[in-house]
């Protein structure tokens, strides 16, 4: 599946929202189709001298805000058709589980060991080895972004609560957890308790509900939740933080502005081609041709596109083939054949 570099709001610098809607006609897939064609054009012109794939990856790896992800300061994400950066840590939601997703990898790391840096945006399967916070972990259960089940190695957010079946005429401590008739109950009050009345019929017992992702669990030690047929209690903050502009996020775009500008122009042209290739407005054709001139000049090193250059083994910019073969000087003005 193609990952988009652009967001819909980028197009509004050229066309109106109504015009964009008419171009795609309710089919968001057209945007991806046009952007993929435009991206290939950009890569074709710039790949020889610039790290264009890495530059594009900065935008293509941006994903919509996800409540299951914990964002460190500096982490970027899409939110409300804009791009924001976290200016404070943003805690992600952590669901209870009795499964063991990660274990510390005790074996020796060798040159043949495949180790991946852990990322909340990746997907993992049993046997994968990752490095996180200087510790090696091995995956035991499928987890990751695509599974909608993000499990950070070394994080144990919930503690499992020991439970027993309720029995009549047995005294229990306050907040004790018992099972009765397939459900779990917590003793919430000892006032006038009747030890012969079962938890379902007694006001002294409270039914423990299933884990609710949108509920804010506290660290009181008795804010229980049921998951996977077991009872859990939070051992740390398991809630997702509310994101608020100027409090923990601010609008910020890490993408290369030149690439964004020309990719929009090329993509708009490609969108028109999808609809009516023989009826493209002169304004769109002019923008398209202007971008091609810019790409050609950037590819020939006549202008600086503000994109990192490819480096050779000596950490010097890799010259074009013609320069490396025929150039007498790195100053293009001293090489009369240089166009």
């Amino acid at each position: 599946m193609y990952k988009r570099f652009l967001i819909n709001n980028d197009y509004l610098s050229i066309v109106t929202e109504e015009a964009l809607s008419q171009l795609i006609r309710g089919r968001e897939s057209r945007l991806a189709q046009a952007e993929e064609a435009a991206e290939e054009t950009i890569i074709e012109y710039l790949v020889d001298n610039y790290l264009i794939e890495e530059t594009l990856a900065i935008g293509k790896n941006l994903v919509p805000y996800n409540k299951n992800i914990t964002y460190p300061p500096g982490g970027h994400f899409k939110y409300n058709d804009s791009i924001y950066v976290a200016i404070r840590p943003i805690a992600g939601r952590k669901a209870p589980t009795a499964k063991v997703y990660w274990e510390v990898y005790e074996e020796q790391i060798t040159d043949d060991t495949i180790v991946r840096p852990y990322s909340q945006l990746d997907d993992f399967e049993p046997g994968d080895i990752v490095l996180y916070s200087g510790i090696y972990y091995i995956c035991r259960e499928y987890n990751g972004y695509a599974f909608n089940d993000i499990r950070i190695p070394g994080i144990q957010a919930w503690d499992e609560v020991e439970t027993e079946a309720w029995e009549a005429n047995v005294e229990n401590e306050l907040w004790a957890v018992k099972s009765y008739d397939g459900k779990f109950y917590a003793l919430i009050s000892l006032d006038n308790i009747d030890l012969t009345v079962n938890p379902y019929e007694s006001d002294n017992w409270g039914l423990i509900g299933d884990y609710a992702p949108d509920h804010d669990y506290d660290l009181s030690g008795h804010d229980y939740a049921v998951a996977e047929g077991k009872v859990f209690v939070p051992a740390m903050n398991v809630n997702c933080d509310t994101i608020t502009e100027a409090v923990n996020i601010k609008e910020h775009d890490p993408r290369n502005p030149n690439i964004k500008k020309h990719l929009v122009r090329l993509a708009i042209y490609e969108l028109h081609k999808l609809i009516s290739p023989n009826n493209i407005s002169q304004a769109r054709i002019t923008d398209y041709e202007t971008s091609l001139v810019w790409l050609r000049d950037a590819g020939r090193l006549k202008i600086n596109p503000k994109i990192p250059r490819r480096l050779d083994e000596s950490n010097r910019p890799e010259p074009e083939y013609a320069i490396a073969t025929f150039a007498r000087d790195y100053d293009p003005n001293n090489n009369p054949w240089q166009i």
Side-chain angles (χ1 to χ4, degrees):
M1 182 179 178
Y2 174 75
K3 291 183 177 180
R4 294 178 57 194
F5 177 87
L6 301 175
I7 59 176
N8 291 2
N9 274 357
D10 295 332
Y11 290 92
L12 302 186
S13 62
I14 294 182
V15 297
T16 64
E17 190 170 353
E18 181 181 1
L20 180 62
S21 178
Q22 292 175 352
L23 281 173
I24 64 176
R25 300 182 181 182
R27 295 171 57 186
E28 288 278 337
S29 59
R30 283 188 171 180
L31 290 175
Q33 186 178 355
E35 290 172 22
E36 187 173 10
E39 182 182 308
E40 289 299 322
T41 300
I42 289 178
I43 292 176
E44 179 182 351
Y45 276 93
L46 302 181
V47 69
D48 288 338
N49 292 309
Y50 300 96
L51 298 176
I52 184 60
E53 293 97 337
E54 290 83 347
T55 301
L56 288 167
I58 294 175
K60 293 163 73 70
N61 289 333
L62 292 174
V63 298
Y65 170 70
N66 189 317
K67 292 184 177 181
N68 296 324
I69 294 178
T70 297
Y71 295 91
H76 288 80
F77 53 86
K78 299 175 183 176
Y79 182 68
N80 289 342
D81 266 340
S82 296
I83 298 176
Y84 289 83
V85 60
I87 55 179
R88 291 182 180 178
I90 302 175
R93 184 167 53 204
K94 305 167 188 66
T97 182
K99 298 177 182 177
V100 177
Y101 285 85
W102 298 96
E103 290 180 345
V104 175
Y105 188 66
E106 303 288 357
E107 299 182 23
Q108 181 69 31
I109 299 294
T110 66
D111 293 337
D112 296 328
T113 306
I114 300 177
V115 179
R116 301 162 54 186
Y118 177 79
S119 171
Q120 296 176 88
L121 301 181
D122 285 343
D123 304 314
F124 304 95
E125 59 182 46
D128 287 344
I129 300 173
V130 301
L131 178 63
Y132 179 70
S133 295
I135 301 175
Y136 294 98
Y137 294 89
I138 183 169
C139 179
R140 296 305 186 191
E141 294 282 349
Y142 289 95
N143 69 94
Y145 186 81
F147 296 101
N148 195 31
D149 190 13
I150 297 172
R151 303 289 177 174
I152 301 176
I155 300 296
Q156 185 67 32
W158 295 78
D159 290 332
E160 186 177 341
V161 179
E162 294 185 5
T163 61
E164 296 178 346
W166 176 84
E167 295 180 9
N169 298 314
V170 175
E171 293 186 357
N172 296 285
E173 296 181 353
L174 189 64
W175 298 111
V177 176
K178 299 293 179 179
S179 62
Y180 177 78
D181 196 22
K183 299 183 182 298
F184 295 98
Y185 296 84
L187 183 57
I188 58 177
S189 174
L190 294 174
D191 296 339
N192 302 318
I193 187 170
D194 187 343
L195 300 180
T196 64
V197 179
N198 66 62
Y200 177 75
E201 299 175 343
S202 172
D203 293 333
N204 296 92
W205 293 85
L207 177 66
I208 300 176
D210 292 337
Y211 169 71
D214 295 329
H215 175 72
D216 286 337
Y217 292 89
D218 59 49
L219 296 176
S220 61
H222 48 257
D223 198 357
Y224 304 120
V226 177
E228 302 173 358
K230 300 180 179 180
V231 180
F232 297 88
V233 64
M236 59 180 293
N237 178 24
V238 298
N239 309 307
C240 60
D241 291 338
T242 301
I243 56 175
T244 306
E245 193 163 3
V247 175
N248 52 13
I249 63 170
K250 70 174 182 179
E251 197 166 350
H252 179 261
D253 193 343
R255 299 171 298 170
N256 183 286
N258 285 326
I259 294 301
K260 181 175 68 172
K261 177 178 70 175
H262 294 288
L263 187 56
V264 168
R265 291 179 177 179
L266 298 177
I268 285 287
Y269 179 81
E270 295 291 342
L271 281 173
H272 280 84
K273 282 175 55 179
L274 291 173
I275 299 175
S276 180
N278 296 322
N279 188 27
I280 303 177
S281 70
Q282 187 59 46
R284 301 285 79 83
I285 295 176
T286 300
D287 281 350
Y288 177 78
E289 293 175 343
T290 300
S291 290
L292 290 185
V293 170
W294 183 89
L295 288 170
R296 184 168 57 248
D297 289 344
R300 293 178 176 178
L301 309 178
K302 296 176 68 175
I303 59 175
N304 183 3
K306 304 298 183 181
I307 302 174
R309 287 285 305 276
R310 291 191 180 279
L311 304 178
D312 58 21
E313 295 179 355
S314 60
N315 286 330
R316 298 185 64 183
E318 287 188 358
E320 291 182 306
Y321 178 79
I323 296 176
T325 306
F326 303 108
R328 296 190 298 270
D329 197 300
Y330 277 98
D331 184 355
N333 296 318
N334 294 333
N335 296 300
W337 52 267
Q338 176 85 3
I339 298 176

